[in-house]
Amino acid sequence: MDAHHPAEAGSPTRDHLEWPFFDAAHRSLATELDRFIAGGGLGVIDHGNADAACKKLVAALGAAGILRNCVPKAFGGISDEIDSRSLCLVRETLAYADGLADFAFAMQGLGTGAISLSGSDEIRQRILPAIARGELISAFALSEPNAGSDVAAMSMTGRREGDSFVLDGEKIWISNGGIADVYTVFARTGEAPGTRGISAFVVFADTPGFSIVERIETIAPHPLARIRFENCRIPAAQMLGAPGEGFKIAMRTLDIFRPSVAAAAIGFARRALDEALAHARSRAMFGATLADLPTAQSTLGDMATAIDAAALLTCRTAWRRDVQKLPITREAAMAKMTATENAQWVIDQALQLFGGRGVRVGEITERLYREIRALRIYEGATEVQKLIIGRELLKSVPK
């Protein structure tokens, strides 16, 4: 299969849709997604021009109604609230087909999640329907050069001046930086020390004082940038929630979307396993096929088990949020950590089964190997997920 023709990729195995975590609406969504991709809905994706590719993908996903899963029903969405299981199904399916397609979808949700949660009705009506239609592109601006995992170290400031806030500082590693129309931005407003003095804002890309300082190229190309705010004045009405609530809003947003990061990793892993299975059955070796060798069968068995283990954690987390309406900070961290680490291993094993062909530029395994690496870092590196799990466990133990 040509890595640049995702419509030929098929779809991930759907056995897990029969698990009790999903209902008829989710199974219908999966069918819709499969038809969209099989029908060439993603088009031919030019990985050499990530900016243009992502713009086209956002428009295509919007026209197909798939981006409606990123916003609440009142603003053009499908569900009354954003449904984590739907996000997971979409991301797994798109990641199976192509990493840029998954990225384009994910950032429409992550970039506006805080707006869905805490924006005024006016702000939400101005932005969310256009996001669902694919007419606006969004970004989530939290990380800084010296404040990545340690959000409390944030130095960007937002000072109140009458009916406005003036933003000053820089953000880095901002996905969709350079192509986004609207950014959710976090800045220190000083209501209290540490994370309690951070607020959230909406900033439009054409606001004076906002600029793209640097475009960043990574192992798996997608739109990424360092952005700067210099005396960037925005209306106070563009604050999300109350002053000092920014950190809580950011964490609530990440809790919603972190399970879907795990789902994307599972999509990559399922594609790697399917490619490995097809290769093992067709690769002649020692008078038989690669699939006949016990070592290959053992590896394939381990790969399948690692994927199902991650999928169970991920589905449990999304179901817990959607159905039980319970906190998922610990569960989301477990799912994200396990799925991304397992997917990295699965893809590595698939590449090993392909041998020399696996590392050739343009092969599916080579592309997957590059795409999975970032998922172990963004939206909280594996080491951070371990800290979150440990902290949440300790909270549950009486002192």
Side-chain angles (χ1 to χ4, degrees), residues 144 154-159 166-169 186-189 201:
E144 297 184 3
M154 183 180 296
S155 62
M156 179 168 165
T157 60
R159 67 179 187 277
V166 178
L167 305 180
D168 286 287
F186 299 85
R188 182 167 298 287
T189 45
F201 303 90

Side-chain angles (χ1 to χ4, degrees), residues 199-391:
S199 299
F201 303 90
V202 170
V203 179
F204 292 93
D206 59 0
T207 305
F210 170 86
S211 63
I212 305 297
V213 179
E214 175 190 11
R215 296 302 302 273
I216 303 171
E217 295 186 11
T218 56
I219 191 170
H222 68 259
L224 196 69
R226 177 163 61 102
I227 62 178
R228 180 176 294 162
F229 302 82
E230 294 180 284
N231 199 35
C232 181
R233 186 177 297 272
I234 61 171
Q238 287 175 209
M239 174 181 278
L240 301 174
E245 289 186 348
F247 179 76
K248 290 181 180 179
I249 292 170
M251 294 306 104
R252 286 178 63 202
T253 302
L254 291 173
D255 271 355
I256 293 172
F257 289 93
R258 197 165 274 150
S260 76
V261 179
I266 292 165
F268 289 146
R270 289 195 195 281
R271 182 67 184 277
L273 176 59
D274 285 351
E275 296 291 330
L277 285 166
H279 176 71
R281 286 185 177 278
S282 63
R283 178 73 162 95
M285 186 171 286
F286 303 122
T289 66
L290 179 60
D292 294 317
L293 299 180
T295 52
Q297 293 173 12
S298 176
T299 297
L300 291 167
D302 284 342
M303 292 164 69
T305 303
I307 291 171
D308 265 15
L312 282 163
L313 281 173
T314 302
C315 295
R316 184 273 301 261
T317 301
W319 176 82
R320 177 180 168 93
R321 177 187 176 271
D322 293 342
V323 178
Q324 293 186 302
K325 308 296 183 185
L326 293 172
I328 60 166
T329 299
R330 181 181 67 178
E331 292 76 13
M334 288 179 173
K336 198 270 185 183
M337 175 183 71
T338 303
T340 55
E341 292 292 330
N342 285 10
Q344 177 82 66
W345 182 84
V346 166
I347 292 166
D348 185 70
Q349 295 304 301
L351 191 150
Q352 193 74 8
L353 286 169
F354 270 81
R357 177 184 160 192
V359 296
R360 185 176 180 177
V361 173
E363 289 287 342
I364 298 286
T365 48
E366 180 267 343
R367 174 167 60 83
L368 290 169
Y369 197 86
R370 288 185 289 104
E371 287 176 336
I372 188 57
R373 191 59 186 86
L375 266 69
R376 292 171 59 203
I377 297 173
Y378 84 68
E379 288 194 42
T382 294
E383 293 75 14
V384 174
Q385 303 310 320
K386 291 179 180 180
L387 291 174
I388 291 171
I389 296 164
R391 181 191 67 201

Side-chain angles (χ1 to χ4, degrees), residues 159-166 233-237:
R159 67 179 187 277
R160 183 73 182 252
E161 289 189 1
D163 293 333
S164 302
F165 276 90
V166 178
R233 186 177 297 272
I234 61 171

Side-chain angles (χ1 to χ4, degrees), residues 46 48-56 100 137 177-179 215 222-224:
D46 181 4
N49 188 344
D51 285 9
C54 285
K55 290 176 182 178
K56 285 178 63 177
L100 271 181
I137 295 177
I179 69 168
R215 296 302 302 273
H222 68 259
L224 196 69

